Amino acid sequence: MRENLQNIHIQPLKSFSTEHTTVDLLRLDLFHPVISGNKWFKLQFYLQDAVKLGKRSIATFGGAYSNHIVATAFAASELGLQSLGLIRGDEPGVTTPTLQEAANYGMELIFLSRASYRNKAAVQQTWNKEQMYWIKEGGYGEKGALGASEILKIADTSRYTHIACAVGTGTMMAGLINGADNHQQVLGISVLRNHLGLEKEVYTLLNKPESSADFAIYHDYHFGGYAKQTPALFDFMKEIWFSEGIPTDIVYTSKLLYGIRDLVQKNHFGLGSRVLVIHSGGLQGNRSVSAGILPF
Ligand SMILES: *Cc1c(COP(=O)(O)O)cnc(C)c1O
C-alpha cells in the first residue's frame, strides 16, 4: 500500500482563497479506490500489531455506511487475515453497498441492535476468539493517531499556518495535532451534533503537553447530525465539483469544506494565513445517495 502514497498531492482551492488567506487541499482521497483517505493511515499500526502477535482475524465495529468497515475488510484481506464486522442497526440482513463490499472482501458481518451495540465490551466478550485482534469503532486509539500523524509527512506541509480536518472519533485529528509543527494550529470540523465529549477524546490521544497542543473544534457544521444531509449541502457539493473538480462525501468532507469556506469568508484567519485542508476520502459512502443527485 505504501507505494500508493505517490497518488496523493496538494491542490490549490482557488475559489476558497482570498487576498487574506490561501487554502490548499491534501488529496488523500486519491490514495486508493477502496481504502481512500485517512483509513489506511489509521489502520496501519493496528494491522502491524495484529500480524506481530500472530492473530488471524481482525474484528471491529461500525455502522452500515462505515468507511472504516470497508477499509478494515479490504486491508485484512490484503494481509491474508479474516475479518469480523459488528454492525450497528436493528435490521439484520438489510444490506448496503458498503456492507456488501465488506462482505465481498470476506468480512463476516454480525448485526446488533442499537441497544446491544452500545455495550461494546459485552459484545466483544461474546464474539471474542483467541486469534482475534480487536480494533475500536472508527479505529479510535493511540495506534490510529500514530498512523494518522504520518499524513503530514507525505508532502512538505511546514509552510502552512493551519491544518484542517473533519472529525468523527477524533483519531485523525489527534494524529495531526501530534504531528503538527509548533507554529501550526489544527482545526477540526465535527460531523456529529452536540458531540461534547470530543475535545476530551482528542486530548486523550495527544502525546504532547496540553500547553503546546494548539487546536480548535467547530461544532456548527454538522447539517443536522451524523450522515444527515440537506439540499444546501448537496448544492454545495455540486458547486465544489463544478468549480474545483473535487468530489466530496456526504458525511465528512463536504461538511469540512463548507465549514472552512465559511470561516475564510468570515475572516477567521489572520492576514497571510495558509490553510491546508485534509481531503480524507470517504467517497464510497455516497453510494447511499439516490442516483442523479450528485454529478460525480
Ligand atoms: C473516518 C473518516 C473521518 C473521521 O476520522 P476520525 O479519525 O474518526 O475522526 C474523516 N473523514 C473521512 C472521509 C472518514 O472516512
Side-chain angles (χ1 to χ4, degrees):
M1 284 301 230
R2 289 209 154 261
E3 67 279 7
N4 287 359
L5 291 173
Q6 67 194 29
N7 299 343
I8 298 170
H9 65 256
I10 293 177
Q11 170 176 345
L13 275 176
K14 292 195 197 74
S15 64
F16 282 49
S17 295
T18 62
E19 39 192 43
H20 241 85
T21 309
T22 312
V23 188
D24 288 349
L25 189 66
L26 182 67
R27 298 284 310 268
L28 294 190
D29 57 310
L30 300 173
F31 177 68
H32 185 274
V34 181
I35 309 198
S36 86
N38 66 5
K39 293 297 183 275
W40 177 79
F41 290 89
K42 291 203 297 178
L43 283 171
Q44 56 178 328
F45 292 119
Y46 292 115
L47 297 170
Q48 245 177 44
D49 198 33
V51 170
K52 199 176 82 195
L53 295 171
K55 303 286 183 181
R56 293 205 305 275
S57 175
I58 307 286
T60 194
F61 297 88
Y65 299 96
S66 164
N67 298 324
H68 169 70
I69 286 289
V70 179
T72 303
F74 180 79
S77 77
E78 286 281 288
L79 290 169
L81 300 171
Q82 296 167 347
S83 59
L84 176 71
L86 287 310
I87 309 301
R88 177 187 60 231
D90 292 315
E91 300 167 84
V94 172
T95 195
T96 60
T98 302
L99 295 180
Q100 192 54 55
E101 187 166 0
N104 291 348
Y105 295 124
M107 182 176 262
E108 186 188 345
L109 300 172
I110 292 174
F111 293 85
L112 302 168
S113 70
R114 279 168 196 272
S116 52
Y117 187 87
R118 244 171 260 135
N119 191 351
K120 298 201 178 49
V123 171
Q124 182 164 337
Q125 219 168 27
T126 307
W127 296 96
N128 190 36
K129 293 198 185 105
E130 212 198 317
Q131 81 271 15
M132 270 181 194
Y133 187 88
W134 287 83
I135 299 178
K136 290 205 170 100
E137 181 181 34
Y140 179 80
E142 279 175 23
K143 285 194 170 58
L146 187 65
S149 67
E150 295 199 345
I151 291 171
L152 294 177
K153 295 184 193 152
I154 304 166
D156 180 9
T157 54
S158 60
R159 67 182 181 279
Y160 294 99
T161 55
H162 298 77
I163 313 287
C165 69
V167 189
T169 65
T171 308
M172 167 170 59
M173 182 170 195
L176 294 172
I177 299 166
N178 288 337
D181 291 343
N182 284 339
H183 72 275
Q184 295 175 321
Q185 188 189 48
V186 181
L187 270 76
I189 303 291
S190 173
V191 302
L192 285 99
R193 185 160 53 97
N194 296 335
H195 185 187
L196 301 175
L198 186 53
E199 277 81 356
K200 196 162 153 277
E201 283 153 24
V202 170
Y203 267 122
T204 307
L205 300 180
L206 296 186
N207 64 10
K208 47 167 80 164
E210 283 190 22
S211 56
S212 63
D214 186 4
F215 75 93
I217 300 179
Y218 294 82
H219 294 274
D220 306 325
Y221 298 108
H222 54 71
F223 283 82
Y226 183 74
K228 295 276 194 294
Q229 304 122 43
T230 66
L233 187 68
F234 286 127
D235 286 346
F236 175 74
M237 292 169 78
K238 284 186 241 178
E239 187 190 329
I240 300 308
W241 171 252
F242 289 119
S243 63
E244 303 279 358
I246 291 162
T248 49
D249 79 294
I250 49 175
V251 180
Y252 295 101
T253 54
S254 54
K255 296 176 184 180
L256 165 67
L257 287 179
Y258 188 96
I260 295 304
R261 192 177 71 173
D262 190 53
L263 291 171
V264 173
Q265 286 175 350
K266 289 178 173 154
N267 259 334
H268 170 83
F269 300 98
L271 185 64
S273 297
R274 289 179 299 279
V275 184
L276 180 67
V277 181
I278 312 293
H279 191 318
S280 39
L283 298 167
Q284 68 86 20
N286 287 354
R287 290 178 298 186
S288 65
V289 178
S290 311
I293 292 188
L294 294 172
F296 51 85

